[in-house]
Amino acid sequence: MTTPAASTSPVRYLYDLADGDASMRSLLGGKGSNLAEMTRLGIPVPDGFTVSTAACIATMKAGGTWPESLWDETLAALDRLEQRTGRTLGSPDRPLLLSVRSGAVFSMPGMMDTILNLGISDETVDALGAESDNPRFAWDSYRRFIQMYGDVVEGVPAYAYEDALSAMKRQRGVEQDTDLTTKDLKELVEQFKAVSREHMGTELPSDPKDQLRRSIGAVFDSWLTPRAGVYRRAHGIPDDLGTAVNVMQMVFGNRGDTSATGVCFTRNPSTGARELYGEFLLNAQGEDVVAGIRTPRPLAEMEETLPQAFGELVATMERLEQHYGDMQDIEFTVEEGTLYLLQTRTGKRTAPAAFKVARDLVEEGVITREQALRRIEPAQLDQLLHPAIDPDHGQSPITRGLNASPGAAVGEIVFDADTAEERGKAGDAVVLVRWETTPDDIAGVIVAQGVLTTHGGMTSHAAVVARGMGKPCVAGAAGIKIDTAAKQVTVGDLVLEEGDVITLDGTTGEVYAGALELVPPQVNEDFEAVVGWADDVRRMSVRANADTGEDAAKAREFGAEGIGLCRTEHMFMAEDRLPAVRRMILADDETERHAALETILPMQQEDFQAIFTAMSGLPVTIRLLDPPLHEFLPDLVEQSLTVQRLELQGGSEEQLKHERHLLAQVKKLTEMNPMLGTRGVRLALLYPEIPQMQVRAIARAAFAVKDAGGEPVVEIMVPLVGYAEELRRMRELVEETLAEEFQTAGHRFDYTVGTMIELPRAAVVAEQIAEHADFFSFGTNDLTQTGIGISRDDAEGSFLAAYVDSDVLPDNPFATIDVEGVGGLVRLGVEGGRAAKPDLKLGVCGEHGGDPASIGFFESLGMSYVSCSPYRVPIARFSAARAVLDGQG
Ligand code: ADP
Ligand code: MG
Ligand code: MG
C-alpha cells in the first residue's frame, strides 16, 4: 500500500483509481476495485477516486461524524483529479463534472442511487452549454441534477419536482420533456430550487464541493437504511462491511450521434451461449437506458453506427472475461467516438447458463474444473432437476406459501387423495390441495403433479414426502381457505372449484390461477459434465434411500453408488399386504403369527429381489422393521367408532367380534409416545419371528438374484439401537437365521450387519456398540428428534417455523443439521466407532444426506458415504465435491 503524497493521516481512507486493484474488494467495494483493476489493465475508464469502506465504517461507528482527515483527503484527491483532467469543479472555465456512486463489497440493491453531473451550477451551466455547443442540453442536465440530488441526498420528495415539471408542460401545452425549450428549462431550474427550499426549509446547497461532501455522506447513510438492512439479512451479508463511494469524472454519451451508452454481457446470461448480448442507445446518458424513454438497440447494430468503438468494446469484453475468468456484465459509454468502461462485474445468470458457461470456460481452457465447481451453487442443480415455470409468463401469483419442494406443477384442483388417485391413474393432471397431508394421502400424492397445503411448514408431512418423491410442493399457503364440503378454495375474492387448473411453483412457493407454460427439467450435457467433474473430486460416496426396485433403478440412473437405506415397512404398508400384516399383528399365538408371516415372506422377497437386481454389484443396506406395530392398524378413534356403529346398527356377531378384537389390539398397541416406544430393535427382540422372516426373505432374494447372474451386496441394518446388548442379540439372531438359510440353500454369500446410530445413548456408547457392528449409519432425522428433544411432527406448523423466523434457531434442524448440538452427537458416534474399529464404515441416511450444508459437515468428519432421496443424488454428488474443495479453502 502506498501512501499518497497529499495525505498525512495515519489511516488512509481514499484511493485514486490508479492506486487500487481487484484484490482490494473489501476496502474499495466491488465496483471500485473493478474500476481500479480496469484502470490498471489500461482499459479506458473515466478518472476518479474511491472513498473506502473503512471511511464508511469509521463514520458509522462515530454516529455519523466523519473521521477528521476524510474531508481533507477528499479535497486532496479532488485536487489531484483536477490536475490530471485539467478541469476544475465549479469553475466557469472548463468545469469538472462528477458522478457519485455507491459500491458495496457485495452488490446490493437499496443503496443510494447514483448522482450524475455533479458540478453543474449557476456558475458552470453556461460554460457547459458553450462547450457542448448545446445550451438546451446543459440546462436540461442542470434541472435533472437538481431533481436527482434533491431527491436522493436532501430527501426532497420526487413528486414535488415531477409536479412542477408536469405543470410546466401543461402550461406550455406540450407532451414530452423534450418539447421544452431552453428558456423553459431555465425557468424550471428556478422552480426546482424553490421546490427544494420549500421542502428543505433552507437553500439547496449551490457549491459543488458542498454537494460532493453531502453526497458522499448520503452514500454512507444509505448503508443503514432499513431496505438495505433487510437485504443484507436475507443474503447473509454482515452489517459491518460498510460501503465504498466512487467519485468519477463524467463522460457523456449524450453528445450527439457519435456518442452512446449501453450495457452488455460477455455471454448470453439466460442461455450461457457465447454471443453478442447487450443494448445501447445513441446520444444518451446512463439513466436513459433504464428510464425506458427510448428503446435501446441490440448491441450488434453498434457495429454499423460506431464501428471503431464497437471493435474496441468487443476486444475489451473478451479481455475482461479472460482476465476475470468469468462472464462479465459491463456498462460502457462512448463519448464522441471514444469508448469508456464504467463498470464490470460477474454477470448474474440463470441456472442453465451457469452450467453452460462453467463448462465452456473449462473447455476453452480459461478456468480449471475445480474453479468451475466452485462457481455453481447446489440450488442451481435443484433448478435443473425439476420442471420450471417458463420465466416469461408475466402473471402475478394469487398467493404464496413455503417453497417446500422445488419444481413446477400444473393440474386440476382435487381435494382428497382418493379422487387424486383415481383421476391421476386415469392420466389426468391433478394438484392435490389439502389442509395438510397424512400418510393416508400417499397414494394421491404419488399420482398428483404437485401438492398444495394451507397448513404446515417445511418439515410437514406433505413437504417431506414431496421432497422424497421429487414432487413440487407449496406448503403452508395460509392465504387460501379450503371448503372441503363445497369443494372450493377461496383466495381473497377469487373462488376456485374442484377441477379448476392451478400452477404451483415449489421453487418459489408461488401459486398461480390457470395453466402456466412449463419448461422441462434440463439435465443436459452441461449438467452431466459438471456433476461428472464433481465425481472426480469428491471423497465420500453417494447412495440413495429407496424402497422399491423402481426407485433403486432411478437412483442408479442419477448416479447412486448403492442404497443407504431401504425401509422395509413400506413393503408392509402396501395395500395388498396390509391384511396379512394385520393378521400377523392380531395373531393370538405363535402358530397363527407364523402362518401370517409365511404369506408376507414371499412378498418381501420379491421386493428385495427387485432392489438387488437394480443395484447389482452395489451395496444395499436393508433396515429391519422400524415403526411401531400400531401404524399398521386403524386409528384408535376410528376403530372405536366402527365398533360403536356396529353395536348400534346390530352388525353380525362375527363381524362385531372381529372389530372388537381389532379395537382391543389397537388399544393394547397404542402408546403415549410411539416415537420412543416399542419400535426398532425393541420390536424385533419382542417379536423375533418378524426379523427372522425378513432375514429369510433377504437371503432367498439374494440367492435368487445370484442365480440369475446378479451380484447382491447385502448389508443388514438394525434400527434404534441404544445398548450394545441389543445389537449383540440381534446380530446373533440374524447370523443364526442366515446360517439356516445357507444350510438349506447349500451355499452362502457375504454380508455385513450394522446399526443405525439415532439415539443420543448410542452415540455416547458407540465404542461398545461398534464391537458388534460392521457399519454405522447415522439416522440424523431421529437423532435430531431425540437429540434436541423435538418431535418433528409436533414442531412443524407450531413453534419450529416461529423459532426459525425469529432467529432462535438459524435453520430448520431437520433440513440442515444442527452442527453444534446434534452434530456433536454424530461426532461422538464417529469417534467411538473408530476407537473400537478404525476402519468402521460410516454413513448418513436421512434427509440431511442430501443437504449441501450438512454434507459439508459430514465430509469434515470423514464419513464414508451419504444417502439421500434418488432425486437429490446429483446434488449430493456435487455437494460432496464442493465439501472437499471448501475444506481445501
Ligand atoms: P447502478 O448500480 O444503478 O448500475 P451505477 O453507479 O453503475 O449504478 O450507475 C448508474 C448509471 O450511471 C449507469 O448507467 C452508469 O453507466 C452511469 N454512470 C455512472 N458513472 C458515470 C460517469 N462517470 N459518466 C457517465 N455515466 C456514468
Ligand atoms: Mg446503484
Ligand atoms: Mg451499474
Side-chain angles (χ1 to χ4, degrees):
M1 208 186 288
T2 52
T3 315
S7 172
T8 50
S9 135
V11 189
R12 180 177 171 186
Y13 289 117
L14 225 135
Y15 295 81
D16 289 349
L17 287 182
D19 288 346
D21 63 48
S23 72
M24 294 163 73
R25 191 181 182 98
S26 66
L27 200 59
L28 304 181
K31 199 179 276 169
S33 61
N34 285 334
L35 286 167
E37 183 79 1
M38 287 195 286
T39 306
R40 199 176 67 81
L41 292 173
I43 290 169
V45 169
D47 206 342
F49 55 87
T50 302
V51 184
S52 72
T53 54
C56 175
I57 295 165
T59 304
M60 279 191 301
K61 283 203 177 127
T65 312
W66 283 24
E68 236 185 75
S69 59
L70 183 54
W71 182 236
D72 288 342
E73 269 194 71
T74 309
L75 289 177
L78 179 63
D79 191 52
R80 291 194 299 277
L81 183 61
E82 289 174 340
Q83 299 285 332
R84 291 193 302 266
T85 56
R87 292 175 169 273
T88 310
L89 189 68
S91 160
D93 177 31
R94 292 180 57 77
L96 174 67
L97 295 198
L98 300 172
S99 73
V100 182
R101 323 164 71 183
S102 70
V105 178
F106 302 104
S107 107
M108 49 183 282
M111 301 299 292
M112 196 191 82
D113 288 338
T114 293
I115 306 251
L116 298 178
N117 300 327
L118 191 144
I120 289 202
S121 63
D122 292 348
E123 279 73 37
T124 59
V125 63
D126 289 327
L128 276 166
E131 214 179 295
S132 59
D133 205 13
N134 190 343
R136 191 194 172 281
F137 154 70
W139 282 97
D140 192 45
S141 299
Y142 193 13
R143 70 94 189 163
R144 284 196 208 207
F145 169 74
I146 298 179
Q147 212 172 340
M148 193 172 234
Y149 174 86
D151 168 17
V152 170
V153 180
E154 306 293 350
V156 179
Y159 69 82
Y161 298 115
E162 288 299 337
D163 286 353
L165 179 61
S166 304
M168 163 85 67
K169 284 194 286 191
R170 239 189 345 267
Q171 266 178 14
R172 303 290 190 269
V174 300
E175 295 272 315
Q176 304 286 329
D177 297 2
T178 42
D179 295 331
L180 295 174
T181 64
T182 309
K183 192 165 153 280
D184 297 336
L185 292 166
K186 278 186 187 175
E187 200 178 319
L188 201 57
V189 163
E190 288 314 310
Q191 288 181 11
F192 277 8
K193 286 183 190 164
V195 163
S196 310
R197 188 184 315 118
E198 202 174 297
H199 284 269
M200 293 169 60
T202 130
E203 244 4 273
L204 190 84
S206 59
D207 175 4
K209 279 190 180 148
D210 220 15
Q211 292 168 353
L212 176 61
R213 194 171 50 75
R214 297 175 65 85
S215 297
I216 293 172
V219 175
F220 290 166
D221 290 345
S222 72
W223 178 258
L224 293 174
T225 58
R227 199 159 60 125
V230 167
Y231 183 88
R232 286 197 293 272
R233 262 188 301 288
H235 292 81
I237 301 173
D239 277 335
D240 57 4
L241 292 182
T243 179
V245 187
N246 301 292
V247 179
M248 299 169 77
Q249 184 181 10
M250 285 298 299
V251 286
F252 297 93
N254 48 357
R255 287 239 165 120
D257 285 342
T258 53
S259 299
T261 188
V263 292
C264 58
F265 282 76
T266 55
R267 299 180 189 233
N268 183 324
S270 64
T271 64
R274 190 175 184 180
E275 61 196 21
L276 266 189
Y277 188 98
E279 291 176 329
F280 78 109
L281 206 49
L282 267 186
N283 195 11
Q285 214 168 32
E287 58 193 305
D288 301 338
V289 180
V290 239
I293 299 163
R294 282 183 286 151
T295 314
R297 311 299 314 156
L299 191 61
E301 289 181 16
M302 196 175 140
E303 185 162 20
E304 251 173 67
T305 32
L306 297 166
Q308 200 193 328
F310 176 80
E312 276 170 43
L313 177 64
V314 170
T316 308
M317 284 164 76
E318 172 81 32
R319 188 160 169 221
L320 285 172
E321 189 181 86
Q322 288 279 333
H323 182 72
Y324 285 100
D326 204 354
M327 178 175 90
Q328 296 296 297
D329 166 358
I330 290 166
E331 289 173 8
F332 65 91
T333 283
V334 181
E335 182 181 306
E336 296 178 338
T338 308
L339 174 75
Y340 294 93
L341 276 278
L342 292 174
Q343 186 169 345
T344 190
R345 60 182 160 187
T346 304
K348 293 230 180 345
R349 61 205 79 179
T350 63
F355 283 86
K356 180 157 176 57
V357 170
R359 182 174 176 217
D360 288 353
L361 286 174
V362 168
E363 277 171 12
E364 291 161 23
V366 180
I367 57 172
T368 64
R369 291 175 172 194
E370 296 187 357
Q371 282 175 311
L373 287 171
R374 288 177 196 266
R375 295 260 171 89
I376 289 169
E377 290 310 316
Q380 294 178 311
L381 279 86
D382 227 347
Q383 276 184 40
L384 293 203
L385 283 164
H386 297 91
I389 294 178
D390 190 333
D392 301 325
H393 58 78
Q395 306 274 320
S396 311
I398 54 170
T399 191
R400 270 192 185 79
L402 298 169
N403 51 342
S405 178
V410 178
E412 293 180 24
I413 297 175
V414 294
F415 293 104
D416 64 286
D418 292 340
T419 313
E421 191 181 1
E422 197 178 300
R423 298 209 42 206
K425 281 190 175 155
D428 296 339
V430 296
V431 170
L432 183 60
V433 181
R434 302 276 288 159
W435 191 70
E436 160 59 321
T437 65
T438 69
D440 291 339
D441 295 331
I442 280 289
V445 175
I446 290 174
V447 295
Q449 303 297 309
V451 182
L452 169 63
T453 68
T454 58
H455 187 78
M458 298 295 281
T459 62
S460 62
H461 181 268
V464 172
V465 167
R467 282 199 294 274
M469 292 187 198
K471 193 150 290 214
C473 174
V474 174
I480 297 182
K481 301 270 168 300
I482 302 182
D483 185 340
T484 330
K487 301 211 172 207
Q488 280 183 341
V489 284
T490 323
V491 193
D493 299 333
L494 182 70
V495 180
L496 297 170
E497 314 270 342
E498 183 164 74
D500 286 349
V501 174
I502 55 171
T503 303
L504 305 183
D505 190 340
T507 310
T508 61
E510 289 167 340
V511 181
Y512 297 86
L516 264 51
E517 208 59 49
L518 298 192
V519 286
Q522 298 176 59
V523 178
N524 54 18
E525 278 174 34
D526 300 321
F527 182 92
E528 303 281 0
V530 170
V531 176
W533 299 337
D535 290 341
D536 296 337
V537 171
R538 70 187 157 91
R539 186 194 56 78
M540 288 191 287
S541 53
V542 175
R543 298 192 188 184
N545 300 346
D547 314 329
T548 64
E550 209 176 299
D551 282 359
K554 186 167 298 149
R556 200 164 185 165
E557 250 172 63
F558 280 129
E561 298 160 299
I563 300 226
L565 177 62
C566 169
R567 300 179 179 87
T568 52
E569 57 268 25
H570 286 187
M571 304 171 184
F572 278 51
M573 298 275 191
E575 225 174 300
D576 51 332
R577 298 165 188 198
L578 213 47
V581 173
R582 285 189 180 167
R583 225 175 324 124
M584 180 224 10
I585 298 171
L586 298 175
D588 288 323
D589 53 45
E590 218 165 294
T591 338
E592 227 179 287
R593 177 165 302 125
H594 267 295
L597 284 168
E598 282 305 311
T599 17
I600 303 171
L601 192 151
M603 299 173 174
Q604 286 238 297
Q605 184 185 332
E606 202 182 303
D607 293 332
F608 293 144
Q609 242 164 274
I611 293 169
F612 287 145
T613 305
M615 276 289 157
S616 177
L618 297 174
V620 175
T621 305
I622 296 173
R623 180 176 71 184
L624 300 176
L625 192 64
D626 184 34
L629 291 182
H630 79 89
E631 281 199 10
F632 304 103
L633 297 180
D635 171 76
L636 176 62
V637 177
E638 234 168 68
Q639 189 58 20
S640 307
L641 287 172
T642 307
V643 169
Q644 233 174 43
R645 218 177 296 125
L646 279 174
E647 284 171 349
L648 287 173
Q649 297 165 353
S652 78
E653 204 44 46
E654 194 169 325
Q655 203 184 354
L656 196 57
K657 193 177 148 209
H658 169 75
E659 298 296 350
R660 278 185 178 146
H661 181 51
L662 191 55
L663 177 61
Q665 204 66 6
V666 171
K667 277 186 182 157
K668 200 171 112 191
L669 292 173
T670 297
E671 294 176 311
M672 294 302 291
N673 208 333
M675 183 179 90
L676 303 175
T678 316
R679 51 168 287 217
V681 67
R682 305 162 191 173
L683 183 74
L685 290 175
L686 204 60
Y687 302 96
E689 51 282 13
I690 298 177
Q692 254 161 6
M693 178 280 288
Q694 293 199 292
V695 171
R696 288 191 203 290
I698 293 169
R700 292 174 199 182
F703 281 129
V705 171
K706 265 179 91 157
D707 288 347
E711 199 191 321
V713 183
V714 180
E715 302 181 338
I716 296 174
M717 180 158 77
V718 183
L720 214 75
V721 165
Y723 294 85
E725 181 61 14
E726 289 174 319
L727 185 60
R728 193 195 63 75
R729 292 189 189 194
M730 272 309 292
R731 184 174 190 120
E732 204 170 81
L733 181 135
V734 169
E735 292 190 330
E736 277 170 13
T737 311
L738 282 176
E740 280 173 35
E741 289 295 315
F742 290 172
Q743 178 111 49
T744 316
H747 51 147
R748 67 181 312 283
F749 54 80
D750 289 333
Y751 64 89
T752 55
V753 180
T755 184
M756 307 265 297
I757 300 290
E758 51 188 336
L759 293 173
R761 188 177 201 285
V764 173
V765 302
E767 187 170 351
Q768 296 168 21
I769 292 177
E771 291 297 334
H772 311 287
D774 301 321
F775 64 87
F776 280 178
S777 176
F778 289 84
T780 50
N781 292 347
D782 272 350
L783 192 59
T784 299
Q785 296 204 89
T786 57
I788 306 182
I790 289 183
S791 148
R792 183 174 186 170
D793 287 343
D794 294 316
E796 75 199 14
S798 64
F799 68 91
L800 193 54
Y803 258 40
V804 175
D805 285 347
S806 62
D807 295 328
V808 178
L809 298 184
D811 290 299
N812 174 353
F814 293 101
T816 294
I817 194 157
D818 155 36
V819 170
E820 290 177 4
V822 179
L825 290 170
V826 175
R827 188 188 301 275
L828 261 188
V830 166
E831 285 166 0
R834 286 209 181 114
K837 293 185 179 167
D839 297 331
L840 189 72
K841 189 151 70 164
L842 303 164
V844 177
C845 55
E847 269 189 76
H848 300 108
D851 170 60
S854 309
I855 288 173
F857 174 65
F858 300 139
E859 169 65 30
S860 74
L861 291 181
M863 293 277 184
S864 322
Y865 67 86
V866 291
S867 188
C868 57
S869 93
Y871 296 92
R872 292 199 73 81
V873 166
I875 296 170
R877 286 162 63 199
F878 175 83
S879 302
R882 271 296 283 275
V884 169
L885 295 175
D886 292 349
Q888 293 166 354

